[in-house]
Amino acid sequence: MQLSTRLLHAIPSDPQTGAIAVPIYQTSTFIQEAPGVNLGYDYARSGNPTRQALENLVATLESGHAGFAFASGLAAIDAVVKLLSAGDQIVAIDDIYGGAFRLFEHVYRRLGIDIVYCDTTDAANVAAVLTPRTRLIWLESPSNPTLKVSDISAIAAIAKANNVLLCVDNTFASPILQRPIELGADIVVHSATKYLGGHSDLIAGVVVAGTAELAAQLKFIQNASGGILGPFDSFLVIRGIETLALRVKQHCSSGLAVAKFLQAQPEIAQVFYPGLEDHPNHAVARRQQPGGFGGIVSIALADDSVESATRFVTSTRLFKLAESLGGPKSLLCHPATMTHKSTPAAQRRAAGVADGLVRLSVGLEDAEDLIQDLAQALALVRIGAEARAEVSVA
Ligand SMILES: *Cc1c(COP(=O)(O)O)cnc(C)c1O
């Protein structure tokens, strides 16, 4: 059976009433017949049937052993880091999501966890920085916002050989395009705020454990730390996932069309999209996410300045200026001053997040309408750059 079919039928109907939609169990506790004798639930931090339906669904989607739903993507990432102890080390991708960087650097470094960053697009770089203290390798693929693609199978082999855990943030690809556990990863995390929820109407995160042992540890951490997702938002993520396969297909086809258009524009120095043949990791992307390359496209403006980037992101009409991605409406953002403002400028630039970099989340509007919107905004960028050049000559 294809994933789109399995996905829909992994969502249970309610055995008690036949309700085809998953009921929202808005309750804090569950009546027990005698102490410890219950119908599978005792207290809703430990387990809630609506959340459980979502957790089972994401485990199925990611070919994992068990799933865990959290109040945000960062709460999900936080739960994974809590598998570590003081003295342990994380090896992470260098253009890691800004919020994950802030959590690693400003919370976990203080608590005695060391983090080193490297360009994981070459698996040899990962092998070179491992030490006996390394416990966890942290990848995002494709990464945010420069769409770097790392070879998950190759890095999984290095992780296994060194007895290190591999966690992949699969937010950008979604399980429709890429299932890291099938490629050898131990753990997958998602910001379900993005494609899984898919409607820009909630904040949520999930962790999927590849083995029973990791599942038991993560279940303990989820209950002990308590950053769970509530039943209503669990219901909304399930409802979002019902259309995930369809949405991702459209995001991929419009993403590719937009990337190809942008590639031909003189105002743009570089287009970052794994589906373009000149993307440095295109061959790995083809093999690793055969279903498509997603809906996120980043561009480096030829005039690499905050001024031009600001002009561009305030000139589009359909693409709305906002943090986040993966919703029905197209969004764009300026990572240097928005999502990555927590990353120090030198490290940000070194990881390829230039001042003139703009990230687009290509939504579900008609692709031709989106292209026209980008064309008119680029024309305004060109006029602005020409005017600035004249002023500086005069
Ligand atoms: C948004 C995002 C996160 C953080 O998720 P929240 O739901 O905002 O907490 C983590 N990783 C990636 C790749 C993201 O895009």
Side-chain angles (χ1 to χ4, degrees):
M1 234 189 280
Q2 296 299 309
L3 188 60
S4 54
T5 311
R6 280 198 289 125
L7 176 163
L8 285 169
H9 291 271
I11 302 171
S13 47
D14 180 33
Q16 213 144 42
T17 63
I20 196 151
V22 174
I24 301 167
Y25 285 91
Q26 192 70 46
T27 186
S28 61
T29 194
F30 301 84
I31 297 169
Q32 311 194 17
E33 206 179 297
V37 181
N38 56 50
L39 298 169
Y41 297 94
D42 53 15
Y43 186 61
R45 172 167 26 77
S46 315
N48 171 290
T50 315
R51 195 178 87 222
Q52 186 72 57
L54 170 62
E55 293 177 333
N56 293 347
L57 176 59
V58 293
T60 302
L61 281 179
E62 286 289 1
S63 303
H65 186 84
F68 303 93
F70 291 87
S72 68
L74 273 170
I77 293 171
D78 182 70
V80 176
V81 181
K82 284 184 174 136
L83 292 167
L84 275 55
S85 303
D88 289 344
Q89 184 187 63
I90 303 171
V91 169
I93 180 165
D94 55 4
D95 66 342
I96 188 166
Y97 172 71
F101 178 82
R102 182 175 53 205
L103 177 70
F104 287 3
E105 287 300 313
H106 298 290
V107 179
Y108 282 105
R109 191 176 288 286
R110 188 162 49 73
L111 297 179
I113 289 174
D114 183 42
I115 308 100
V116 295
Y117 301 90
C118 73
D119 179 358
T120 56
T121 60
D122 183 350
N125 291 341
V126 177
V129 296
L130 292 183
T131 71
R133 291 169 55 209
T134 313
R135 272 286 317 279
L136 177 65
I137 298 171
W138 192 276
L139 296 183
E140 276 174 44
S141 186
S143 67
N144 183 7
T146 58
L147 287 303
K148 284 185 182 173
V149 171
S150 299
D151 186 336
I152 296 173
S153 315
I155 295 172
I158 293 167
K160 289 244 155 28
N162 290 277
N163 201 20
V164 172
L165 293 172
L166 172 60
C167 180
V168 178
D169 183 334
N170 202 28
T171 300
F172 270 37
S174 94
I176 301 299
L177 303 179
Q178 171 174 280
R179 288 172 297 284
I181 290 171
E182 292 178 6
L183 301 170
D186 300 288
I187 303 167
V188 170
V189 301
H190 280 274
S191 169
T193 310
K194 317 293 167 56
Y195 288 105
L196 296 185
H199 291 76
S200 302
D201 56 5
L202 56 87
I203 300 285
V206 300
V207 179
V208 177
T211 64
E213 189 194 347
L214 282 169
Q217 291 174 35
L218 286 161
K219 175 142 194 71
F220 179 85
I221 290 166
Q222 183 192 39
N223 185 50
S225 290
I228 51 154
L229 190 64
F232 183 64
D233 285 350
S234 296
F235 164 82
L236 284 176
V237 178
I238 293 168
R239 194 170 70 159
I241 291 174
E242 287 184 333
T243 56
L244 182 66
L246 199 57
R247 285 187 286 110
V248 167
K249 209 172 179 182
Q250 185 62 45
H251 286 299
C252 288
S253 86
S254 296
L256 185 62
V258 163
K260 284 188 168 157
F261 163 78
L262 291 169
Q263 215 176 14
Q265 306 311 306
E267 298 83 8
I268 293 174
Q270 197 180 347
V271 179
F272 302 85
Y273 187 69
L276 296 175
E277 268 157 38
D278 70 355
H279 184 284
N281 319 119
H282 178 66
V284 176
R286 270 205 109 79
R287 168 160 52 77
Q288 194 160 270
Q289 35 182 116
F293 304 100
I296 309 300
V297 182
S298 290
I299 52 175
L301 291 171
D303 178 30
D304 182 24
S305 68
V306 172
E307 284 98 325
S308 273
T310 304
R311 188 157 177 118
F312 182 67
V313 299
T314 55
S315 298
T316 51
R317 295 171 192 153
L318 296 177
F319 281 87
K320 302 296 184 191
L321 178 62
E323 311 241 359
S324 203
L325 55 101
K329 288 186 181 171
S330 293
L331 301 178
L332 83 180
C333 84
H334 182 228
T337 57
M338 294 170 71
T339 51
H340 284 60
K341 64 172 180 265
S342 328
T343 312
Q347 180 175 354
R348 169 172 65 71
R349 292 197 187 106
V353 185
D355 291 355
L357 188 86
V358 174
R359 185 189 75 193
L360 309 173
S361 171
V362 178
L364 300 177
E365 300 92 340
D366 180 81
E368 212 33 62
D369 289 336
L370 293 177
I371 286 170
Q372 276 176 29
D373 186 34
L374 295 169
Q376 64 82 26
L378 286 172
L380 294 175
V381 168
R382 183 173 60 244
I383 293 165
E386 282 165 5
R388 276 208 315 284
E390 268 169 38
V391 169
S392 68
V393 168

